[in-house]
Every structure is written in structure tokens, then in C-alpha cells.
Amino acid sequence: MSLVAATGRTRPRARLTGVGTYVPERVLTNAELEEMVDTSDEWIVSRTGIRQRHIAAPEQATTDLAAEAVNDLLARTGTNPTDVDLLIVATTTPDYVFPPCAPIVGTKCGMDHVAAYDTNAVCSGFMYGIAQATGMIESGIARRAVVVGAETLSRIIDWTDRATCVLFADGAGAVMLEADDGEQGSGVMGVELGSDGSSPADLWVPAGGTRTPRSEDTPLADTCIQMNGREVFRFATRILVESSQRLLDEAGMTMDDVDLLVAHQANERILDHASERMGIAREKVVMNLDRVGNTSSASIPLAMADARDRGLLDAGAVVLMVGFGAGLTWGSVLVRWEPRA
Ligand code: COA
């Protein structure tokens, strides 16, 4: 049974008050990929919608990207870093096996002694992070939480595998969630989270963990992302619709109440198929994957910031976020956008 809950029925509520982002400077175009593997700009654009993506510099790791996004968020919301009491980093590509990224990011951003840990639900990780932060705020444990999605997927891409190297990329996004004791507004209105671990090999990195530790004999490809694209496509289109509907039903809302769908930016065709089945107008579906590719945990905050920058995200807008990916895992969050002026 998946977890579905309408939240915000108790006080305090968790309000979403800001989003900050960072993408590395280096842009990798489809034309450059044509020089690296047997592919074409035409194939990549028509099958995925992706035209370019950002790739971290050799000296940049995930905490560097995450810290840039958090600093952008702190600046935009005018937040003193020492006022943040919870920092969650959602990532699949941490700097190290341990320690986690979050304590390092906290220190880089001046959040002295902040409660900080990582969470890994791959492309759904950011949704799980928001759910955790919401739970901590609504139960009174935390007052001001930063949730970051950050990935350096370029380090686990097999650059000779045309099926995956055209899809994945690097980036980071962060949001602020704040306790609000007032009577007005709705903040985070609900979450739906679930998983199906019956076929982990549909999307995975087979070696390098405790089941198959990396050794001298490990083929490079086994330490990189491997994917059954067709299965993942089928799962993604189905779960995007189902998770959204379960959440809207629980919250007593319909798709007509949603102002913006910010779904994981995996593939334009997945978003097209799903939004058609959901009956949501095309102009309400945020799409920035043409410029950033699939950035896993970072994808949803990057898309949300893109909508803000293009004037599509009005204060008070009801936003439906949906993540899905390896695990398989999925997660949806329904939230009102209440930016700090
Ligand atoms: N360039 C050119 N040809 C490519 C290619 C590339 N980058 N990648 C695969 N192909 C080829 C295949 O080898 C295959 O050739 P064949 O017919 O000679 O065997 C052909 O294109 C069709 O492959 P197929 O896998 O059926 O393509 P598709 O239409 O399913 O598109 C994906 C492939 C990966 C774009 C699609 O399956 C997809 O988006 N899946 C979901 C992936 C995803 O989003 N993962 C992350 C989720 S978090």
C-alpha cells in the first residue's frame, strides 16, 4: 500500500516559501554527443525532447552544486543561514559513501550545527525529502527546513552507452519550508509516496555497493547507470497519472484545482502522454528538460525555478509535483506556492 495523506490539518503548517538553483557552467550539446556515440540531434530531440545539458567541472562534486543552490535560496528568501534548523539533501551521487553530503553543505553555507542528513530515493528523492521536512515541521520538531536535490550524474554515466548518456546530467535545486502557526493559507496540502522493489535492474548501477563491490575485474559499465528504457517509460507514464490522482482524491481536489504540474523532467514524451491522460492543459505542464536534461533529484526544483523565472508561478498557485524513478519509487506533493516577499 502506498502512503497517501492530506497534510496541513494541524498547526503548524509547512509553507513552501522559496526556491534556489544552480547548474554548472559547462553545456554539453546534442551535437557534441554526436561526436562521442552513434546518435543524432534529431533522434535525441524526437525521442526525449532534450537539446542540451549541464556537466560539472572536474573539481566540482555534489556538495559544491548543492551549496550554490542553497546560497541562491538563502539570498532570494533573505534568510540568515543560522535560522535554518533542518537540512535534507536528496541525492544518488554523494561526494562519498559516507559522510553524507548534508553536513558538508550545511557548513559550506554557514548553517552552524544544523540537523543534516541525506536521503536517497533517486529521482523521487526530492519528494521524499519534502515529505520528511513537512512531517518534522508539522510535528513541531523543525521550524525552518531546507530541502536540496543535487546530482553529479555525469560521474556515473557510461559515456559509450548511447541509451543513457544522452539523458542524464548535473544540477542542484533547493526549497525552503517554514513553520506557520497562522490560520490562513494551506502550505503543503498532501503527499503520496510509494515503491515497487521487484525489478531493481530496470534502472540501476549494478556494482560498487555491498552486493557487488567494485574490484579490479569490474567492467566500467557495471559502475554506471544501466536502464531498461521501455520498462521505465511504461512505469513512468502510468505512475505519474496514478500518484497524482491518488493524492488529489485524498486532498479532495481535482486536476482543475492545479495551477502548475511540476513533474520529474525525464522525457518530453512521458510528460506529454501523462498530461494527456490526466486531462491537464499543456500550458500548465512545466518543461525545462530541453535545456537541462534529466537531473534526477534536482529535476523538480530546477523546473519549478524555471517556471518562476518565466513568470508562470504566481504567488498562491497550487503546484502538483511528481517524481518517479529507480527503485522503483515515486512521490507526489501538493503545495501552495507562498514565496517570502
Ligand atoms: N541514439 C540513436 N539511437 C538510439 C539511441 C540514441 N541515443 N538510444 C537508443 N537508440 C536506438 C536503439 O538501439 C534502438 O535501435 P534498434 O531499433 O536498432 O534496436 C532504437 O533506437 C529504439 O530504441 P528504443 O529503446 O525502443 O527507443 P525508445 O523509443 O523506447 O526511446 C528512451 C528510448 C530511452 C528515450 C525511452 O525508452 C525512454 O525515455 N525511457 C524512459 C527513460 C527514462 O526516463 N529514465 C529515467 C527515469 S528517472
Short mmCIF file of all heavy atoms in Angstrom, two decimals, residues 37-40 43-44 47-48 122-124 161-168 202-203 227-236 264-270 294 296 324-326, ligand 1:
data_model
loop_
_atom_site.label_atom_id
_atom_site.label_comp_id
_atom_site.label_asym_id
_atom_site.label_seq_id
_atom_site.Cartn_x
_atom_site.Cartn_y
_atom_site.Cartn_z
N VAL A 37 29.16 9.27 -29.48
CA VAL A 37 28.48 7.97 -29.68
C VAL A 37 27.66 8.03 -30.97
O VAL A 37 27.47 9.11 -31.55
CB VAL A 37 27.52 7.63 -28.50
CG1 VAL A 37 28.30 7.27 -27.26
CG2 VAL A 37 26.54 8.77 -28.22
N ASP A 38 27.15 6.86 -31.39
CA ASP A 38 26.37 6.78 -32.62
C ASP A 38 24.94 7.27 -32.35
O ASP A 38 24.04 6.48 -32.04
CB ASP A 38 26.37 5.32 -33.10
CG ASP A 38 25.59 5.17 -34.40
OD1 ASP A 38 25.29 6.19 -35.04
OD2 ASP A 38 25.28 4.00 -34.75
N THR A 39 24.76 8.57 -32.39
CA THR A 39 23.44 9.16 -32.14
C THR A 39 23.29 10.40 -33.02
O THR A 39 24.20 10.75 -33.78
CB THR A 39 23.26 9.52 -30.65
OG1 THR A 39 21.89 9.83 -30.40
CG2 THR A 39 24.13 10.70 -30.23
N SER A 40 22.13 11.04 -32.93
CA SER A 40 21.93 12.26 -33.70
C SER A 40 21.06 13.22 -32.90
O SER A 40 20.25 12.80 -32.06
CB SER A 40 21.24 11.96 -35.03
OG SER A 40 19.94 11.46 -34.77
N TRP A 43 17.48 12.29 -33.34
CA TRP A 43 16.99 11.17 -32.52
C TRP A 43 16.76 11.64 -31.08
O TRP A 43 15.71 11.37 -30.49
CB TRP A 43 18.00 10.01 -32.52
CG TRP A 43 17.43 8.73 -31.94
CD1 TRP A 43 16.88 7.70 -32.64
CD2 TRP A 43 17.32 8.38 -30.55
NE1 TRP A 43 16.44 6.72 -31.78
CE2 TRP A 43 16.70 7.10 -30.49
CE3 TRP A 43 17.68 8.99 -29.35
CZ2 TRP A 43 16.43 6.44 -29.28
CZ3 TRP A 43 17.40 8.34 -28.15
CH2 TRP A 43 16.79 7.08 -28.12
N ILE A 44 17.72 12.34 -30.53
CA ILE A 44 17.61 12.73 -29.11
C ILE A 44 16.41 13.67 -28.91
O ILE A 44 15.62 13.49 -27.98
CB ILE A 44 18.91 13.40 -28.61
CG1 ILE A 44 20.11 12.47 -28.78
CG2 ILE A 44 18.78 13.79 -27.14
CD1 ILE A 44 21.47 13.13 -28.52
N ARG A 47 13.00 11.70 -29.51
CA ARG A 47 12.67 10.64 -28.53
C ARG A 47 12.64 11.14 -27.10
O ARG A 47 12.05 10.49 -26.23
CB ARG A 47 13.68 9.50 -28.59
CG ARG A 47 13.80 8.80 -29.92
CD ARG A 47 12.53 8.04 -30.25
NE ARG A 47 12.65 7.40 -31.55
CZ ARG A 47 12.76 6.08 -31.73
NH1 ARG A 47 12.72 5.27 -30.70
NH2 ARG A 47 12.88 5.58 -32.93
N THR A 48 13.31 12.27 -26.83
CA THR A 48 13.39 12.71 -25.42
C THR A 48 13.01 14.17 -25.20
O THR A 48 12.60 14.54 -24.11
CB THR A 48 14.83 12.54 -24.87
OG1 THR A 48 15.68 13.55 -25.43
CG2 THR A 48 15.41 11.18 -25.17
N VAL A 122 16.43 8.25 -5.35
CA VAL A 122 16.79 8.54 -6.75
C VAL A 122 15.90 9.68 -7.27
O VAL A 122 15.80 10.70 -6.59
CB VAL A 122 16.77 7.25 -7.60
CG1 VAL A 122 17.65 7.41 -8.84
CG2 VAL A 122 17.31 6.07 -6.78
N CYS A 123 15.23 9.50 -8.39
CA CYS A 123 14.51 10.64 -8.99
C CYS A 123 13.28 11.06 -8.18
O CYS A 123 12.68 12.09 -8.46
CB CYS A 123 14.13 10.34 -10.43
SG CYS A 123 15.57 9.96 -11.45
N SER A 124 12.90 10.25 -7.19
CA SER A 124 11.80 10.65 -6.29
C SER A 124 12.34 11.26 -5.00
O SER A 124 11.56 11.64 -4.12
CB SER A 124 10.94 9.44 -5.92
OG SER A 124 10.71 8.60 -7.01
N ASP A 161 27.68 4.54 -23.80
CA ASP A 161 26.34 3.93 -23.90
C ASP A 161 25.34 4.98 -24.37
O ASP A 161 24.86 5.81 -23.60
CB ASP A 161 25.94 3.37 -22.52
CG ASP A 161 24.51 2.84 -22.51
OD1 ASP A 161 23.94 2.63 -23.61
OD2 ASP A 161 23.96 2.64 -21.41
N ARG A 162 24.98 4.91 -25.66
CA ARG A 162 24.11 5.95 -26.22
C ARG A 162 22.70 5.93 -25.62
O ARG A 162 21.99 6.94 -25.68
CB ARG A 162 24.03 5.80 -27.74
CG ARG A 162 23.31 4.54 -28.20
CD ARG A 162 23.21 4.51 -29.71
NE ARG A 162 22.47 3.33 -30.16
CZ ARG A 162 22.15 3.09 -31.41
NH1 ARG A 162 22.51 3.95 -32.36
NH2 ARG A 162 21.47 2.02 -31.75
N ALA A 163 22.31 4.79 -25.05
CA ALA A 163 20.96 4.70 -24.50
C ALA A 163 20.80 5.54 -23.23
O ALA A 163 19.69 5.95 -22.87
CB ALA A 163 20.61 3.25 -24.20
N THR A 164 21.90 5.78 -22.52
CA THR A 164 21.78 6.55 -21.26
C THR A 164 22.53 7.89 -21.29
O THR A 164 22.08 8.84 -20.65
CB THR A 164 22.31 5.72 -20.06
OG1 THR A 164 23.63 5.27 -20.38
CG2 THR A 164 21.42 4.54 -19.75
N CYS A 165 23.64 7.96 -22.03
CA CYS A 165 24.47 9.18 -21.90
C CYS A 165 23.79 10.42 -22.48
O CYS A 165 24.17 11.54 -22.14
CB CYS A 165 25.87 8.98 -22.50
SG CYS A 165 25.94 9.00 -24.30
N VAL A 166 22.77 10.22 -23.31
CA VAL A 166 22.07 11.38 -23.87
C VAL A 166 21.03 11.94 -22.90
O VAL A 166 20.49 13.03 -23.13
CB VAL A 166 21.39 11.03 -25.22
CG1 VAL A 166 22.43 10.53 -26.22
CG2 VAL A 166 20.29 9.99 -25.04
N LEU A 167 20.73 11.18 -21.83
CA LEU A 167 19.61 11.56 -20.96
C LEU A 167 20.02 12.35 -19.73
O LEU A 167 19.39 13.36 -19.38
CB LEU A 167 18.88 10.30 -20.47
CG LEU A 167 18.30 9.35 -21.52
CD1 LEU A 167 17.70 8.13 -20.82
CD2 LEU A 167 17.24 10.06 -22.34
N PHE A 168 21.07 11.86 -19.02
CA PHE A 168 21.30 12.31 -17.65
C PHE A 168 22.30 13.47 -17.56
O PHE A 168 23.15 13.63 -18.44
CB PHE A 168 21.77 11.13 -16.80
CG PHE A 168 20.74 10.03 -16.72
CD1 PHE A 168 20.86 8.88 -17.49
CD2 PHE A 168 19.63 10.16 -15.90
CE1 PHE A 168 19.91 7.87 -17.43
CE2 PHE A 168 18.67 9.16 -15.84
CZ PHE A 168 18.81 8.02 -16.61
N ASP A 202 15.78 -2.59 -13.57
CA ASP A 202 15.20 -1.75 -14.63
C ASP A 202 15.95 -0.44 -14.76
O ASP A 202 15.99 0.17 -15.84
CB ASP A 202 13.71 -1.46 -14.35
CG ASP A 202 12.83 -2.61 -14.80
OD1 ASP A 202 13.35 -3.51 -15.50
OD2 ASP A 202 11.63 -2.61 -14.44
N LEU A 203 16.49 0.03 -13.64
CA LEU A 203 17.26 1.28 -13.66
C LEU A 203 18.19 1.23 -12.45
O LEU A 203 17.72 1.32 -11.31
CB LEU A 203 16.30 2.48 -13.58
CG LEU A 203 16.89 3.89 -13.64
CD1 LEU A 203 17.80 4.07 -14.84
CD2 LEU A 203 15.78 4.92 -13.67
N MET A 227 19.92 0.81 -17.83
CA MET A 227 18.47 1.06 -17.82
C MET A 227 17.74 0.23 -18.86
O MET A 227 18.23 0.06 -19.97
CB MET A 227 18.27 2.55 -18.13
CG MET A 227 16.83 3.00 -18.15
SD MET A 227 16.73 4.76 -18.54
CE MET A 227 17.18 4.76 -20.27
N ASN A 228 16.56 -0.24 -18.48
CA ASN A 228 15.62 -0.85 -19.42
C ASN A 228 14.64 0.27 -19.79
O ASN A 228 13.62 0.46 -19.12
CB ASN A 228 14.91 -2.03 -18.73
CG ASN A 228 13.90 -2.70 -19.64
OD1 ASN A 228 13.51 -2.15 -20.67
ND2 ASN A 228 13.47 -3.88 -19.26
N GLY A 229 14.98 1.01 -20.83
CA GLY A 229 14.26 2.24 -21.16
C GLY A 229 12.78 2.06 -21.37
O GLY A 229 11.96 2.85 -20.90
N ARG A 230 12.41 0.98 -22.07
CA ARG A 230 10.98 0.79 -22.38
C ARG A 230 10.17 0.52 -21.13
O ARG A 230 9.06 1.03 -20.98
CB ARG A 230 10.80 -0.35 -23.37
CG ARG A 230 11.18 0.08 -24.76
CD ARG A 230 10.95 -0.99 -25.77
NE ARG A 230 11.73 -0.70 -26.96
CZ ARG A 230 11.78 -1.46 -28.03
NH1 ARG A 230 11.09 -2.57 -28.06
NH2 ARG A 230 12.50 -1.11 -29.06
N GLU A 231 10.72 -0.33 -20.22
CA GLU A 231 10.01 -0.62 -18.97
C GLU A 231 9.85 0.65 -18.13
O GLU A 231 8.80 0.92 -17.56
CB GLU A 231 10.77 -1.68 -18.16
CG GLU A 231 10.40 -3.09 -18.46
CD GLU A 231 8.89 -3.33 -18.47
OE1 GLU A 231 8.21 -2.96 -17.50
OE2 GLU A 231 8.39 -3.87 -19.48
N VAL A 232 10.93 1.42 -18.03
CA VAL A 232 10.89 2.64 -17.23
C VAL A 232 9.89 3.62 -17.83
O VAL A 232 9.13 4.28 -17.11
CB VAL A 232 12.29 3.28 -17.11
CG1 VAL A 232 12.23 4.61 -16.38
CG2 VAL A 232 13.25 2.34 -16.38
N PHE A 233 9.84 3.69 -19.14
CA PHE A 233 8.89 4.58 -19.81
C PHE A 233 7.45 4.20 -19.44
O PHE A 233 6.64 5.05 -19.08
CB PHE A 233 9.08 4.48 -21.33
CG PHE A 233 8.36 5.54 -22.10
CD1 PHE A 233 9.01 6.69 -22.50
CD2 PHE A 233 7.01 5.40 -22.42
CE1 PHE A 233 8.34 7.69 -23.20
CE2 PHE A 233 6.33 6.38 -23.12
CZ PHE A 233 6.99 7.52 -23.52
N ARG A 234 7.17 2.87 -19.52
CA ARG A 234 5.81 2.40 -19.20
C ARG A 234 5.45 2.74 -17.76
O ARG A 234 4.36 3.23 -17.46
CB ARG A 234 5.73 0.88 -19.40
CG ARG A 234 5.13 0.49 -20.74
CD ARG A 234 4.76 -0.99 -20.76
NE ARG A 234 5.94 -1.83 -20.83
CZ ARG A 234 6.53 -2.17 -21.98
NH1 ARG A 234 6.04 -1.76 -23.12
NH2 ARG A 234 7.59 -2.94 -21.98
N PHE A 235 6.39 2.44 -16.85
CA PHE A 235 6.16 2.72 -15.42
C PHE A 235 5.91 4.21 -15.20
O PHE A 235 4.97 4.61 -14.50
CB PHE A 235 7.37 2.24 -14.62
CG PHE A 235 7.55 2.92 -13.28
CD1 PHE A 235 6.68 2.64 -12.24
CD2 PHE A 235 8.56 3.85 -13.07
CE1 PHE A 235 6.82 3.28 -11.00
CE2 PHE A 235 8.71 4.49 -11.84
CZ PHE A 235 7.84 4.20 -10.81
N ALA A 236 6.76 5.05 -15.81
CA ALA A 236 6.70 6.49 -15.55
C ALA A 236 5.36 7.08 -15.99
O ALA A 236 4.74 7.86 -15.25
CB ALA A 236 7.85 7.18 -16.27
N HIS A 264 8.85 15.31 -12.70
CA HIS A 264 10.25 14.96 -12.97
C HIS A 264 10.54 15.07 -14.47
O HIS A 264 9.81 14.53 -15.29
CB HIS A 264 10.50 13.54 -12.46
CG HIS A 264 11.85 13.02 -12.82
ND1 HIS A 264 13.00 13.80 -12.71
CD2 HIS A 264 12.26 11.82 -13.28
CE1 HIS A 264 14.03 13.07 -13.09
NE2 HIS A 264 13.61 11.88 -13.45
N GLN A 265 11.62 15.77 -14.78
CA GLN A 265 11.96 16.05 -16.18
C GLN A 265 12.80 14.91 -16.75
O GLN A 265 14.03 15.01 -16.88
CB GLN A 265 12.73 17.38 -16.27
CG GLN A 265 11.98 18.56 -15.68
CD GLN A 265 10.84 19.02 -16.57
OE1 GLN A 265 11.03 19.36 -17.72
NE2 GLN A 265 9.62 19.03 -16.03
N ALA A 266 12.12 13.80 -17.09
CA ALA A 266 12.84 12.64 -17.63
C ALA A 266 12.80 12.64 -19.15
O ALA A 266 13.80 12.39 -19.81
CB ALA A 266 12.25 11.35 -17.08
N ASN A 267 11.61 12.94 -19.68
CA ASN A 267 11.42 12.78 -21.12
C ASN A 267 10.15 13.53 -21.51
O ASN A 267 9.11 13.37 -20.88
CB ASN A 267 11.27 11.27 -21.42
CG ASN A 267 11.14 10.96 -22.88
OD1 ASN A 267 10.40 11.63 -23.59
ND2 ASN A 267 11.86 9.95 -23.33
N GLU A 268 10.24 14.31 -22.57
CA GLU A 268 9.08 15.10 -23.01
C GLU A 268 7.90 14.20 -23.37
O GLU A 268 6.75 14.52 -23.09
CB GLU A 268 9.48 15.94 -24.24
CG GLU A 268 8.38 16.87 -24.69
CD GLU A 268 8.83 17.81 -25.81
OE1 GLU A 268 9.99 17.72 -26.24
OE2 GLU A 268 7.99 18.61 -26.24
N ARG A 269 8.21 13.03 -23.94
CA ARG A 269 7.11 12.14 -24.34
C ARG A 269 6.38 11.56 -23.12
O ARG A 269 5.18 11.34 -23.16
CB ARG A 269 7.63 11.01 -25.23
CG ARG A 269 8.00 11.49 -26.64
CD ARG A 269 8.32 10.32 -27.54
NE ARG A 269 9.40 9.53 -26.99
CZ ARG A 269 9.49 8.19 -27.07
NH1 ARG A 269 8.56 7.50 -27.66
NH2 ARG A 269 10.52 7.56 -26.56
N ILE A 270 7.13 11.31 -22.03
CA ILE A 270 6.48 10.84 -20.80
C ILE A 270 5.51 11.93 -20.31
O ILE A 270 4.36 11.66 -19.97
CB ILE A 270 7.52 10.52 -19.70
CG1 ILE A 270 8.36 9.31 -20.11
CG2 ILE A 270 6.85 10.28 -18.35
CD1 ILE A 270 9.51 8.98 -19.15
N ASN A 294 17.91 15.18 -17.76
CA ASN A 294 17.37 14.52 -16.57
C ASN A 294 18.39 14.65 -15.44
O ASN A 294 19.43 14.00 -15.47
CB ASN A 294 17.08 13.05 -16.91
CG ASN A 294 16.53 12.27 -15.72
OD1 ASN A 294 16.64 12.69 -14.57
ND2 ASN A 294 15.95 11.12 -16.00
N SER A 296 17.69 13.96 -12.17
CA SER A 296 17.25 13.12 -11.05
C SER A 296 16.70 13.96 -9.88
O SER A 296 15.75 14.71 -10.07
CB SER A 296 18.40 12.20 -10.61
OG SER A 296 17.94 11.22 -9.72
N PHE A 324 9.44 10.29 -10.03
CA PHE A 324 9.39 8.84 -10.26
C PHE A 324 10.77 8.42 -10.75
O PHE A 324 11.49 9.20 -11.36
CB PHE A 324 8.33 8.49 -11.31
CG PHE A 324 8.45 9.33 -12.56
CD1 PHE A 324 9.33 8.99 -13.57
CD2 PHE A 324 7.71 10.50 -12.70
CE1 PHE A 324 9.46 9.79 -14.71
CE2 PHE A 324 7.84 11.31 -13.83
CZ PHE A 324 8.72 10.95 -14.84
N GLY A 325 11.12 7.17 -10.44
CA GLY A 325 12.43 6.73 -10.93
C GLY A 325 12.85 5.40 -10.35
O GLY A 325 12.02 4.58 -9.95
N ALA A 326 14.18 5.22 -10.29
CA ALA A 326 14.74 3.93 -9.90
C ALA A 326 14.23 3.52 -8.53
O ALA A 326 13.87 4.33 -7.68
CB ALA A 326 16.26 4.01 -9.90
N1 COA B 1 20.69 7.50 -30.47
C1 COA B 1 20.28 6.79 -31.53
N2 COA B 1 19.64 5.62 -31.43
C2 COA B 1 19.43 5.16 -30.18
C3 COA B 1 19.83 5.84 -29.04
C4 COA B 1 20.50 7.06 -29.22
N3 COA B 1 20.92 7.80 -28.19
N4 COA B 1 19.47 5.12 -27.96
C5 COA B 1 18.86 4.03 -28.41
N5 COA B 1 18.83 4.03 -29.76
C6 COA B 1 18.26 3.05 -30.66
C7 COA B 1 18.12 1.68 -30.04
O1 COA B 1 19.35 0.98 -30.11
C8 COA B 1 17.07 1.07 -30.91
O2 COA B 1 17.67 0.62 -32.08
P1 COA B 1 17.16 -0.73 -32.81
O3 COA B 1 15.73 -0.47 -33.16
O4 COA B 1 18.07 -0.83 -33.96
O5 COA B 1 17.34 -1.80 -31.77
C9 COA B 1 16.17 2.25 -31.28
O6 COA B 1 16.95 3.43 -31.00
C10 COA B 1 14.90 2.31 -30.49
O7 COA B 1 15.22 2.06 -29.12
P2 COA B 1 14.13 2.10 -28.00
O8 COA B 1 14.76 1.79 -26.71
O9 COA B 1 12.94 1.28 -28.43
O10 COA B 1 13.74 3.63 -28.09
P3 COA B 1 12.59 4.36 -27.35
O11 COA B 1 11.68 5.00 -28.32
O12 COA B 1 11.99 3.50 -26.27
O13 COA B 1 13.37 5.53 -26.64
C11 COA B 1 14.25 6.09 -24.49
C12 COA B 1 14.41 5.22 -25.73
C13 COA B 1 15.39 5.74 -23.54
C14 COA B 1 14.34 7.53 -24.89
C15 COA B 1 12.87 5.77 -23.85
O14 COA B 1 12.71 4.39 -23.70
C16 COA B 1 12.72 6.43 -22.53
O15 COA B 1 12.68 7.63 -22.43
N6 COA B 1 12.59 5.66 -21.45
C17 COA B 1 12.50 6.20 -20.13
C18 COA B 1 13.89 6.55 -19.67
C19 COA B 1 13.89 7.46 -18.50
O16 COA B 1 13.23 8.46 -18.50
N7 COA B 1 14.66 7.09 -17.50
C20 COA B 1 14.84 7.84 -16.34
C21 COA B 1 13.65 7.78 -15.48
S1 COA B 1 14.00 8.55 -13.97
#
